[in-house]
Amino acid sequence: MTLLNIAVVVKLEPDFSEGSISYNPDGTLNRSQTKSTLGPHSKIAAQAAFYAKVKYGAKISIGTMSGHIANSALQMAMETCDAEVLHLYNDKIFAGADTIGTAEVLKKGIEKMDGKMDIVFSGHRATDGETGQTGPQIAWKLGFTFLGNVISYDINLEKRTVTAKRLLSLRGISDLIQEIEAPLPVFIAIDPSYKYYFSTASLRLTAEKYQREAHERANNYKDRLQTFDSEELGADKTLVGLVGSPTIVYDVQRVPQGKVIRHAEILDGSNPEHIRKTVTAMREALNAMVIK
Amino acid sequence: MEKYDVAIIGGGSSGLAALKQLSNLGKQAIILEAGSKIGSKNISGGILYSKKPKKGKVTNVEDLYENFLDDSPFERKITKYILHSTSKDKVYSMDLTASHEYQSNFGYSVLMNKLNSWFAKQSVDISQKFGGGIIPRVHVRSITWNNEGRTIIQTDEIDEFEVKAVIAADGVNSEVAEMVGARSKFTSMQLYQGVKVIVRIPEKIINERFGVNSDEGAAHLFAGDITLNHIGGGFLYTNRDTLSIGVVYHFNSLLKNPVEPHTLIDTLLKNSMVSEFIKDEIPIQKEIDKNLPQEEQLRIRFGVAKLIKSWNDTRRNYLSSTHDNTDELKSKLSFIQDQMVTKYGVTFGTDYVESEYSAKLIPDGKRCRMKKPFFKNILFVGDAAGRGIFVGPRIEGLNVGIDDAVRAANAVARAIDKNDFSQRYLGEYYSQLIDESPYTTDMNQIDKDYLKIFLDATKNVPKDSIGKRYGPILKLMSNDTLRGIAVKFVNILGYDKIFSMIESEDTYVKIPIQLAEKHGKIVSSSYSPNILSLAERIEKLNYTEDHVSHIIILKDSEFMKKMIVLCPAKCFTEEGGKTILQHEGCLECGTCSHETEWRHPRGEKGVHYQYG
């Protein structure tokens, strides 16, 4: 069986779950003081890759652009999807990159991976940047079809196509699920709501087998870790890092906090008028919560 | 439709043993386990025995898992087995180590989560070789036979598939037994309810307190006033750096005199002897000044919590036998301690640390073992078949389940070889293997040799406390010839005729109380433990909640009213004269199952035990 060749690009992100985020006086993130972890969206991308590995058989490579502190993120991603190869793109000149400077490095990295990729996965967006641009830019640079907001997918190995469901939120209309078919290779930015499901005993057994393998591999992840600097990647120095980043950060502002005002009103449970008032208020509140 | 040779329902120690044996024999088998991972639903007292019966053969854990003795995460080898009769602060103790060692190679204290994970690991590679393995997070919904007689298994999670034979190892509340009608639900007469807590104590303190070295352990049993007038008693087993402490009471006696299970276990914990066993040094936080700015309060809370955690970890490590840098740990510990005191005003006191609360029903094999433990091509093993040995201080279940499972696996392998899964060739043969099991004999009749050892252990017990009814019997039994005749007579008459005599309020409550009062030593405790409330206990457990309840109340009966008291998680309440169920904190013990529609939660849902 010819294996699918899959790449996952991941990002080391501040660990918001610990509640110990440190900021610089100018409002930017103090990365040296903040504990980092594999980005939650990156983790979902790795899970999506694992699905292909279990269902179709795949060789998975993971790449990230970061300092050596990203080793832990690569290790976690490996444990999630039982990857065979880990790539760390690490060079001083990569620093200060915006999304397009990052996309260039990741594209170069993906090209260094063994074999031609069939699918590249990325998360929906980063939790610390939230632009969601890096994925589409890598796809554009690689010349792959870009599929965003993918909530589920399957592959036809004979036809070499992928069928994907995309979750589209259009203003003024309810959410839509769009089903599309695209020829491989594709770049998939996975939707946060993605969750794989293995519906047969044999797939479950395979998943268990790879999960155990992943655990073993992750324990010795350094055996499979390769580090590349800009030269080894053959990166064009004018396209990466600060030099290759046209974005100008004009100002950084904290998200303004809305003022919380609460009015308390004491209601009598035995008064039908009060009950009616409460129910009406609850209905209104519920209606307001429905995302349109 | 996918096809497999054998499906094993339930990944506890019996199910895992069946998988190992089938794989050893080169057969394909899959385990379907509802828990999120192997071990997460398993509870035991627990001591795992390895036995050498005089008549007949059993497969012991170390026979099935060759590297069990060298590699498995058992806790301690129990070398002391002591029965205490209690009355208030008085305790009368009897050494029953000889009866614990009767026909046994060893008895290890074990924690099921760890141990079953280890068992699973031993089967993984070999079962995979034959196309089998373990599938967690899958709950079996039905087993049916289609027109061609093929066995179809349906689950809540994955597509249906076909198998040739089934081994039902789904525990005391076996859904398989119920869905196919292999047996009726066990009655209150046939069951015991067990409730257990895990208490953390550093290894070296356990060694010192129980007078054992790191490889040895002690088991303490309790009867008397701690039972609050129920048939049954308490136990305390030493693990490596925890204690398993629990109470086990006959369900019928609980129904007659309903007392909340957590009250029963609290009563045991409050007994001065037990309080002294469980005590430890505990850091006590200073109350945070509410007038400080919110952020400062938060900073202190995080700071203290972090320091206490590292104090606990370091102390545990320092007081364990597995490290070799004592001095370094000692200075680290005193550094942390110093910081706690100077920075945050932490003080130190005496209390106990409880980590896990759990509950389980225990089948009394002498009353409820399935006489024919099969139905069509389904074989029942261990708790699912109602098999456990429960005779006074002799309590065995894990070893019975493992041996049953090996017998079932052998029967299934033989059927696969001949491609004959008929009742006659598979079921009857398995039933015959089970009848040959020495454990079955132990559930069937009195073992006069065990009785002798037990009586020898109790021969110094002052007879004035035994009472009119038992005094003459004991005297009679102390004579070898008369005992032999009496045992033969009882075994002919039927063992069940004397259950009410050996399991009575006299034997578990009254006589022990009298013994303690007249001849017991006073044991006083230097502190009183701050026992966790039930809410705190439930809060410590991990759950994956299911919005669909796995229990449905069928009728508003007297039994259900008693469940308001007897449910160990207090899932039942009364509202407007009706019994209402809140399934969210359920421990999945099955106490309420007799008059409810009771299922195990769907795959991955429900409680996840950390110790077990």
Side-chain angles (χ1 to χ4, degrees), chain B residues 54-267:
Chain B
K54 269 189 220 120
K55 271 188 204 160
K57 264 194 173 168
V58 293
T59 304
N60 284 314
V61 62
E62 74 277 19
D63 303 326
L64 188 61
Y65 303 98
E66 306 81 17
N67 50 345
F68 177 82
L69 293 168
D70 305 325
D71 189 46
S72 80
F74 60 78
E75 299 294 320
R76 288 168 186 259
K77 181 177 178 181
I78 300 297
T79 51
K80 289 182 181 180
Y81 202 81
I82 297 161
L83 173 64
H84 305 283
S85 298
T86 65
S87 178
K88 294 188 190 102
D89 58 349
K90 281 185 155 182
V91 180
Y92 180 87
S93 309
M94 271 181 270
D95 191 333
L96 297 183
T97 309
S99 63
H100 156 74
E101 285 170 350
Y102 173 69
Q103 293 189 356
S104 90
N105 300 308
F106 57 76
Y108 285 127
S109 56
V110 293
L111 292 168
M112 289 327 282
N113 192 323
K114 249 197 279 184
L115 187 66
N116 278 344
S117 303
W118 185 85
F119 285 153
K121 244 184 227 157
Q122 313 312 305
S123 302
V124 156
D125 289 336
I126 186 163
S127 61
Q128 199 174 295
K129 215 159 85 185
F130 303 106
I134 299 166
I135 310 179
R137 300 181 291 279
V138 170
H139 172 246
V140 172
R141 193 175 53 212
S142 80
I143 300 174
T144 48
W145 291 267
N146 69 10
N147 293 339
E148 294 132 48
R150 295 175 188 278
T151 312
I152 312 294
I153 295 188
Q154 287 183 320
T155 69
D156 288 333
E157 291 79 16
I158 55 175
D159 297 349
E160 60 180 30
F161 57 92
E162 187 189 325
V163 296
K164 293 175 182 161
V166 177
I167 294 177
D170 55 340
V172 60
N173 305 300
S174 173
E175 277 176 73
V176 175
E178 212 198 326
M179 69 176 81
V180 301
R183 63 162 166 82
S184 47
K185 284 180 185 176
F186 294 135
T187 64
S188 58
M189 209 48 211
Q190 298 171 319
L191 292 167
Y192 278 74
Q193 184 198 54
V195 181
K196 183 176 94 162
V197 293
I198 297 287
V199 170
R200 285 174 40 155
I201 299 186
E203 183 181 341
K204 284 189 176 161
I205 295 183
I206 291 182
N207 296 356
E208 203 183 297
R209 191 167 295 165
F210 292 90
V212 291
N213 66 40
S214 283
D215 299 322
E216 298 170 335
H220 292 261
L221 305 182
F222 300 86
D225 70 343
I226 60 106
T227 64
L228 301 182
N229 298 321
H230 295 89
I231 295 173
F235 64 87
L236 181 154
Y237 303 147
T238 56
N239 302 318
R240 188 147 299 272
D241 54 9
T242 54
L243 303 175
S244 292
I245 303 170
V247 288
V248 178
Y249 293 114
H250 195 209
F251 197 11
N252 217 30
S253 97
L254 288 170
L255 284 174
K256 270 190 200 150
N257 168 18
V259 176
E260 288 157 339
H262 62 101
T263 306
L264 289 166
I265 202 160
D266 293 352
T267 308

Side-chain angles (χ1 to χ4, degrees), chain B residues 574-594:
Chain B
E574 192 179 315
E575 254 176 60
K578 275 197 147 186
T579 313
I580 307 286
L581 163 72
Q582 257 184 310
H583 70 279
E584 282 83 359
C586 178
L587 301 175
E588 297 161 32
C589 61
T591 299
C592 63
S593 67
H594 199 63

